[in-house]
Amino acid sequence: GMILFTAAACLGWIKLKYGFNFTDEGYLATASWRLAVGDHFLNDKITGALRHYTLISSMIFKIYPNISLIHIRQLQFILTLASLLIFSIALFRQTRQYAWLPFVFSLFAFTGLDPVGLISNLYYQTYPHFFLVLFLSFMIFGFQSKNHTIKKSFYLLSGLCLWLMTLSLLYMGIIVFAPIIIFILSRRFKLKDYPFSFEDLLYMLSPFVICWALFIAIFNKPYLLNIF
């Protein structure tokens, strides 16, 4: 399984150089670059409020102004492997079974976090995947932790990833009901392997609520009008 995963990762890294779509990928990178050099994501694009991936990608251009499309793809690939590693550790600690993990994750080691394999760069279809993986990982770590402080820290990180997931693609916001459903199931069926109290739920939802409240407070009425 590890040989298969390593081979898929090596082939996936080589694959990054091929199949550029300048009409789509280049346009999206340019939109993010324009935000990094002064454009406003609401005033200069009427649908800016729906897809915040341009805001996230613009941070990359601010840190590394001369980054190329191939470097963006390579960054996404590194983040893919890192998120898979974190997720696999969380799953192994929960199930104590590891043999099947390299087989499952070898697919994503080749395609990136877009399982179809069409997108190999930081794109609005991969940001939600990335934050979803981290959201699940930190939540599982929270289930497993016996230390109260560490447990709450993992739930806060999980909630932050929940917000970032919806920030990258607004209509993913429906997933905010996931922790609520988990809380109900945990209480209803008394799931000992997945203890999740009402306090835990509040810790997980608080970053989501606070970050959105601050975001809306900063952009205020123009943002709400842009959504409508």
Side-chain angles (χ1 to χ4, degrees):
M2 288 303 299
I3 292 173
L4 176 64
F5 180 87
T6 303
C10 292
L11 291 173
W13 182 267
I14 296 171
K15 179 180 73 74
L16 297 177
K17 296 186 291 185
Y18 304 100
F20 277 94
N21 183 340
F22 287 101
T23 304
D24 195 9
E25 182 175 350
Y27 165 74
L28 293 169
T30 302
S32 300
W33 174 81
R34 290 179 62 178
L35 292 182
V37 296
D39 274 11
H40 193 280
F41 89 108
L42 292 177
N43 299 335
D44 299 320
K45 188 176 181 182
I46 196 169
T47 58
L50 297 179
R51 296 178 177 178
H52 304 99
Y53 61 88
T54 51
L55 281 177
I56 299 174
S57 295
S58 68
M59 300 298 175
I60 299 173
F61 282 101
K62 288 180 180 178
I63 297 171
Y64 186 9
N66 297 321
I67 193 169
S68 65
L69 289 180
I70 183 64
H71 289 147
I72 290 177
R73 287 187 171 195
Q74 290 171 346
L75 174 61
Q76 189 273 333
F77 190 80
I78 293 171
L79 292 177
T80 294
L81 296 182
S83 63
L84 292 180
L85 175 62
I86 295 172
F87 195 32
S88 62
I89 293 173
L91 291 175
F92 170 70
R93 289 186 60 185
Q94 186 67 31
T95 64
R96 293 298 171 182
Q97 298 178 17
Y98 58 86
W100 52 274
L101 293 175
F103 288 99
V104 175
F105 291 154
S106 62
L107 167 65
F108 301 98
F110 179 73
T111 65
L113 289 177
D114 170 36
V116 181
L118 294 176
I119 306 301
S120 300
N121 62 307
L122 284 172
Y123 183 60
Y124 70 89
Q125 292 179 348
T126 56
Y127 278 126
H129 290 74
F130 174 66
F131 291 120
L132 174 62
V133 172
L134 294 182
F135 161 68
L136 292 172
S137 301
F138 292 137
M139 182 172 61
I140 294 173
F141 281 131
F143 291 153
Q144 300 163 350
S145 180
K146 304 300 182 184
N147 183 285
H148 183 270
T149 303
I150 296 176
K151 177 187 287 287
K152 302 312 177 189
S153 298
F154 277 127
Y155 285 144
L156 287 173
L157 287 173
S158 183
L160 181 62
C161 292
L162 188 69
W163 174 69
L164 288 168
M165 194 190 323
T166 59
L167 179 69
S168 59
L169 201 60
L170 186 62
Y171 34 87
M172 286 290 291
I174 190 70
I175 204 168
V176 71
F177 290 105
I180 299 174
I181 294 172
I182 292 170
F183 168 72
I184 294 173
L185 293 176
S186 180
R187 296 294 296 273
R188 176 68 176 81
F189 297 102
K190 296 180 172 55
L191 303 177
K192 295 181 179 179
D193 290 337
Y194 303 96
F196 198 62
S197 66
F198 183 70
E199 182 184 6
D200 296 335
L201 177 65
L202 293 179
Y203 269 90
M204 188 175 292
L205 292 181
S206 58
F208 181 89
V209 174
I210 293 172
C211 289
W212 268 123
L214 291 174
F215 191 87
I216 294 174
I218 292 171
F219 293 103
N220 216 311
K221 188 176 178 180
Y223 179 72
L224 299 178
L225 290 176
N226 193 276
I227 292 176
F228 284 114

